Amino acid sequence: MASKDYLIKILKENKVFEKGHFVLASGKESDYYVNMKKAITNPEILKTIAELISEKIEGENIDKIAGPALGAVPIAVASSLNTKIPLLMIRKEKKGYGTSKQIEGELNTGDNVIVVEDVTTTGGSLLKAIKVIKDNGGIVKRAFVVVDREEGAIDAFENEGIKLEPLISVSEFFKD
């Protein structure tokens, strides 16, 4: 059975947290980087993440699991396979060809949706994906992130009336 401690252990073993000078997606600068692309391409880490999310939503009336491109898509796929709940992939913007959709997968009006993300700093990109889901008739029930950098995302979500639930926070990762 998956646990937070096991997730921290395998993230450390796989050197997912890197020291150095980095500019984050939010534009902020940091002396460490959470390389979640490295994590989500590792089958054991991805399986553990999916199991932890699946445990948290077990027995709830969830219709879809959504993940914004790119980093959250493998998490959404793994969680979908684990729970047998269909998934949605949220593009950063509508594509300019084909069906011109911003949401891939079938979102019906009134569907209860959870959203997943790999890492949050301010939460801005995940909140944009949530807005797309809501604008298309979905009801966002919960939001999960593998690693919260503890730089404002939880408060930003609270201001939107959504609880952001990190599997781990950076302070938990660095506490040993």
Side-chain angles (χ1 to χ4, degrees):
M1 185 159 120
S3 72
K4 178 187 286 200
D5 290 340
Y6 180 67
L7 178 58
I8 292 170
K9 176 183 177 282
I10 59 179
L11 290 174
K12 285 181 177 181
E13 287 173 357
N14 286 277
K15 298 177 175 47
V16 170
F17 285 69
E18 301 174 20
K19 294 282 190 182
H21 181 263
F22 303 95
V23 177
L24 308 175
S26 65
K28 291 185 174 190
E29 293 185 17
S30 177
D31 61 352
Y32 70 91
Y33 180 68
V34 185
N35 189 345
M36 287 304 296
K37 305 309 181 274
K38 184 176 184 180
I40 60 175
T41 56
N42 177 301
E44 184 61 24
I45 296 173
L46 191 56
K47 177 178 175 274
T48 302
I49 291 166
E51 287 172 355
L52 288 169
I53 292 170
S54 300
E55 287 171 18
K56 291 179 181 293
I57 64 170
E58 190 174 340
E60 293 188 23
N61 182 26
I62 303 298
D63 300 303
K64 303 290 176 3
I65 297 173
L70 172 76
V73 170
I75 297 166
V77 170
S79 299
S80 173
L81 289 169
N82 208 43
T83 60
K84 309 291 189 262
I85 297 172
L87 86 121
L88 304 170
M89 295 179 287
I90 315 300
R91 295 176 183 275
K92 291 186 193 301
E93 55 193 43
K94 285 185 179 182
K95 59 183 189 168
Y97 55 91
T99 59
S100 300
K101 290 182 178 181
Q102 193 165 1
I103 298 175
E104 296 297 340
E106 188 173 334
L107 176 63
N108 302 305
T109 300
D111 274 353
N112 292 323
V113 181
I114 66 154
V115 292
V116 298
E117 181 63 290
D118 56 354
V119 63
T120 53
T121 302
T122 62
S125 59
L126 188 55
L127 285 169
K128 286 178 189 169
I130 288 170
K131 183 177 180 341
V132 171
I133 293 166
K134 288 180 172 181
D135 289 350
N136 284 276
I139 302 165
V140 177
K141 291 300 206 179
R142 295 170 77 181
F144 297 95
V145 62
V146 179
V147 178
D148 177 36
R149 292 180 55 95
E150 299 176 296
E151 295 184 35
I154 289 176
D155 291 338
F157 273 73
E158 196 172 284
N159 291 339
E160 296 294 323
I162 299 169
K163 183 178 181 193
L164 178 63
E165 302 175 54
L167 299 183
I168 65 168
S169 61
V170 290
S171 60
E172 290 172 312
F173 184 85
F174 287 126
K175 83 175 171 190
D176 290 332

